[in-house]
Structure formats: structure tokens, C-alpha cells
Amino acid sequence: MELHLTKPIIFFDLETTGINIAKDRIVEISILKVFPNGNKESKTWLVNPEMEIPKEASDIHGITNERVVTEPTFNELAAEVSKIIDGCDLAGFNSNRFDIPLLAEEMLRAKVNFDMNNRVAIDVQVIFHKKEERTLSAGYKFYCDKDLENAHSAEADTLATYEILKAQLEKYDDLENDVNFLNEYSTHNKRADFAGFIMFNEDDEEIFTFGKYKGQKVADILRKDKGYYSWIQNADFPLYTKKVLTQIKEKTFFNKKENTLEDLQNKFNKKL
């Protein structure tokens, strides 16, 4: 079964120096771009993370400091990666919780804009866990009846993820071959940022999920405690979280200004 697409979708996987989204770096990135007509393009890069790759990370993915010392940095690759994924939806395995947030951090660190406006994300792992509760290697065996050779190679994991999603669509009649449906199905909670520090409540309003203002509306806190915004911007939060908070702040105070002008206009009209 081929995917029903209205625009290209990017399947991708990252190998990294660790699992800290705000601090760790990419050492390998593999992209598989699938077009609505079924054509595919792929690209894989080794990346110099500009930091030491811990032995425990190298033991997992096999990428050592010696292998990447002469490779380009992500700062050098960011513009090319951004061009490839521009206008595309995204998909991966555990990508909503890890790969997309970390890619966003690397992009923003390289001063290249990244956001999820006008695109959706499909996390194949979430679909997998909702249906079967397995790992990527087990999922590849279960859905595709193949052994995942060279696991933890970004390219092998990316191709396996793409094949698994197609097999999932074949297997489960209740899964719709539609990227918007799969985006909703593979999303646990509706997050404003990737890390989950800001989420949406039942009324589709942004709320904080941590700290002394946990559960409270972000817009209310920005109005009430103006120093809280500055504290987050200067603290060790992901860059994308800071970007989202800035967007909420601009929206909040822009709307406040609009309302004030509207109120003045109404008062003026009443006088007339």
C-alpha cells in the first residue's frame, strides 16, 4: 500500500550524542522524502557535533569521534536540510518526543527558522505502541517479516520506519491512509511546544505544565508576572519552547492592543 499524500512527507532519523534535547547534538541524519506520486529521494549525512561523543552513545550507534571529525557541522548543513524539508510533513519513530524536537533545536541554534506551521507529524512508534507494544526491530519483524540489520544506523532505521507505516496501513482497517488522520492518531497530547512545557487545554488555550504556574493559562501569567517570561528565556529551556513562548507573548499583547483600540473606537462611536 502506498501513502495517500497531498504533499511530500519526510521520514527521518537522527543519531545523536545523547538524549538531552536542549544540549545534545546530531551525529548522523538520514532523510527519505516521499512524493505524492510515489517517487522517493534519500540523503544521509554524518555530522560533526562539535562536542565529544560519549562512549555509551558510540556503543549504540557505532559512530565515533574519529569518524565525524572531518564531517560538516550541522551549522553547515542546516540550510540544505531546511530546503529539503520545506513544505513537507514529517514522520519518524519516536519522532514527536525526540527527533523533531532535537532537529528544531539544531535548526534554531544554526539561526535557521523551524516550525510546525502548515505541516503535520506522524509518529510511527505511537501507532505501533497503541497496536502492538514493541521496539523498532520487533516491529520490523512483526509488520514486514524482516530482520532489521544494522539497527541504530540512521539510514536503516529510516527505511524500516517508512516500510512499517505502509504495513500498518495494510494491517489495520481503522487506520486511514491520510496524513492528518495519522498525525492525530500518533499524537498523545496536543503540545504547543515539542518538549511539552506548554500544552493546550480543552478550550485550545496554551497552559504551562510545570513549575508554580502549572495548569494555568500562559497568556494570564504573561500579563500577571512579566518576569516569568524573562526567566524562561534565560533559563535552560529548549530554544523551540522559548520561541513558542515568544509567539504567545506577541499574540497576547498584540490582541490586547487591538482590543484596546476597538474599545476606544466603540466609546468614540457612542459619543457620536
Side-chain angles (χ1 to χ4, degrees), residues 37 44 108 155:
N37 64 4
T44 300
L108 295 175
E155 184 174 9

Side-chain angles (χ1 to χ4, degrees), residues 95-258:
S95 49
N96 286 355
R97 293 179 179 270
F98 184 72
D99 298 87
I100 294 176
L102 200 146
L103 178 63
E105 291 299 295
E106 289 276 40
M107 286 290 198
L108 295 175
R109 198 177 291 117
K111 309 300 182 186
V112 175
N113 189 40
F114 180 93
D115 59 46
M116 293 297 291
N117 294 331
N118 301 316
R119 72 168 102 222
V120 298
I122 300 172
D123 193 328
V124 175
Q125 186 191 59
V126 175
I127 299 174
F128 189 17
H129 284 180
K130 283 185 174 182
K131 294 297 187 181
E132 304 297 340
E133 301 289 337
R134 297 289 194 276
T135 64
L136 177 59
S137 295
Y140 197 49
K141 182 67 175 178
F142 180 85
Y143 288 109
C144 304
D145 196 25
K146 299 178 183 177
D147 294 320
L148 180 54
E149 299 178 4
N150 203 19
H152 296 295
S153 154
E155 184 174 9
D157 290 356
T158 297
L159 292 172
T161 301
Y162 170 60
E163 290 189 40
I164 288 173
L165 178 58
K166 293 195 297 178
Q168 287 172 330
L169 290 169
E170 290 276 8
K171 183 175 178 63
Y172 303 115
D173 293 336
D174 60 326
L175 290 184
E176 296 180 20
N177 194 340
D178 175 81
V179 293
N180 291 307
F181 172 86
L182 295 171
N183 164 65
E184 291 293 329
Y185 191 89
S186 63
T187 300
H188 282 298
N189 297 297
K190 192 173 182 182
R191 303 180 179 194
D193 68 333
F194 295 128
F197 289 111
I198 302 172
M199 301 189 74
F200 291 98
N201 62 17
E202 293 179 353
D203 297 320
D204 213 32
E205 301 167 313
E206 296 96 342
I207 61 172
F208 286 116
T209 63
F210 69 96
K212 60 182 180 180
Y213 295 124
K214 182 176 182 180
Q216 297 189 45
K217 290 187 286 187
V218 174
D220 290 346
I221 301 307
L222 292 176
R223 295 189 186 99
K224 180 176 71 173
D225 186 349
K226 299 187 186 304
Y228 202 60
Y229 170 84
S230 298
W231 172 72
I232 290 177
Q233 292 298 321
N234 292 309
D236 190 22
F237 285 90
L239 294 176
Y240 199 83
T241 299
K242 296 177 181 180
K243 176 183 176 179
V244 168
L245 185 63
T246 297
Q247 291 173 336
I248 297 171
K249 180 183 178 183
E250 291 173 350
K251 178 179 65 175
T252 298
F253 289 101
F254 179 74
N255 288 341
K256 182 179 180 182
K257 182 179 179 182
E258 279 193 324

Side-chain angles (χ1 to χ4, degrees), residues 21-43:
I21 291 170
K23 294 181 179 180
D24 279 305
R25 301 289 190 268
I26 296 171
V27 297
E28 186 180 30
I29 177 171
S30 185
I31 288 174
L32 174 66
K33 188 171 186 177
V34 183
F35 294 87
N37 64 4
N39 290 345
K40 305 176 188 67
E41 294 178 0
S42 62
K43 182 75 175 180

Side-chain angles (χ1 to χ4, degrees), residues 61-78:
H61 50 55
I63 301 171
T64 62
N65 294 291
E66 292 74 21
R67 282 186 63 191
V68 299
V69 67
T70 60
E71 298 295 336
T73 65
F74 192 83
N75 194 61
E76 296 171 314
L77 295 171

